């Protein structure tokens, strides 16, 4: 399951069931096509890339728990392709004797393009948040 968010002032969010953040964009394109919108693929992708800012992937782990496993930013278009960059990821380190998944969430070291926009809404994102050596348990 993925959560796609627009970091605009209204802060809208929707859920799309997909296996990866990239797959969620393909499914969104398919839903737009099924709605009867007669847009060429490139125009459809441009609309998606300008409307969405972040995709949050939530997965069910082997122990049955749901966990955020990836946070990716949509950064625009390169030709016909929507470009994305992963900002945070869950790294599984093992499974204990009770079958509970262990791991940590960490930054990839990439600073998001939307930092200035978030700052304009009064939120400060400290540099340490994007340090890839810091683990969030």
């Amino acid at each position: 399951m993925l959560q796609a968010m627009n970091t605009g002032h209204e802060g809208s969010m929707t859920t799309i069931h997909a296996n990866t953040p990239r797959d969620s964009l393909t499914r969104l394109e398919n839903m737009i096509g099924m709605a009867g919108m007669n847009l060429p693929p490139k125009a459809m992708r441009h609309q998606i890339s300008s409307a969405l800012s972040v995709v949050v992937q939530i997965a069910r782990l082997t122990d049955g728990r749901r966990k955020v496993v990836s946070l990716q930013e949509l950064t625009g278009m390169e030709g016909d392709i929507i470009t994305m960059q992963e900002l945070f990821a869950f790294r599984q380190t093992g499974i204990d004797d009770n079958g509970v998944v262990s791991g940590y969430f960490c930054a990839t070291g990439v600073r998001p393009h939307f930092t200035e926009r978030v700052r304009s809404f009064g939120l400060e994102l400290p540099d340490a948040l994007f340090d890839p050596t810091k683990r969030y348990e």
Side-chain angles (χ1 to χ4, degrees), residues 97-117:
D97 293 337
N98 296 321
V100 176
V101 173
S102 58
Y104 59 92
F105 204 63
C106 65
T108 61
V110 176
R111 299 243 345 143
H113 291 190
F114 61 74
T115 303
E116 286 303 316
R117 186 168 181 191

Side-chain angles (χ1 to χ4, degrees), residues 10-80:
E10 66 283 344
S12 58
M13 185 183 327
T14 191
T15 300
I16 298 172
H17 292 269
N19 294 318
T20 66
R22 173 71 52 199
D23 185 35
S24 72
L25 301 181
T26 301
R27 289 182 185 225
L28 183 56
E29 282 183 52
N30 290 334
M31 285 189 278
I32 292 169
M34 289 189 304
M37 302 281 296
N38 194 17
L39 287 173
K42 186 172 183 175
M44 195 180 320
R45 289 179 189 135
H46 180 73
Q47 290 292 315
I48 292 168
S49 71
S50 66
L52 298 179
S53 300
V54 175
V55 175
V56 179
Q57 181 182 9
I58 301 168
R60 185 181 303 276
L61 303 179
T62 55
D63 61 9
R65 294 180 302 151
R66 291 186 190 268
K67 184 175 282 293
V68 173
V69 295
S70 181
L71 190 139
Q72 295 196 24
E73 175 185 36
L74 279 71
T75 57
M77 296 279 296
E78 241 178 62
D80 289 348

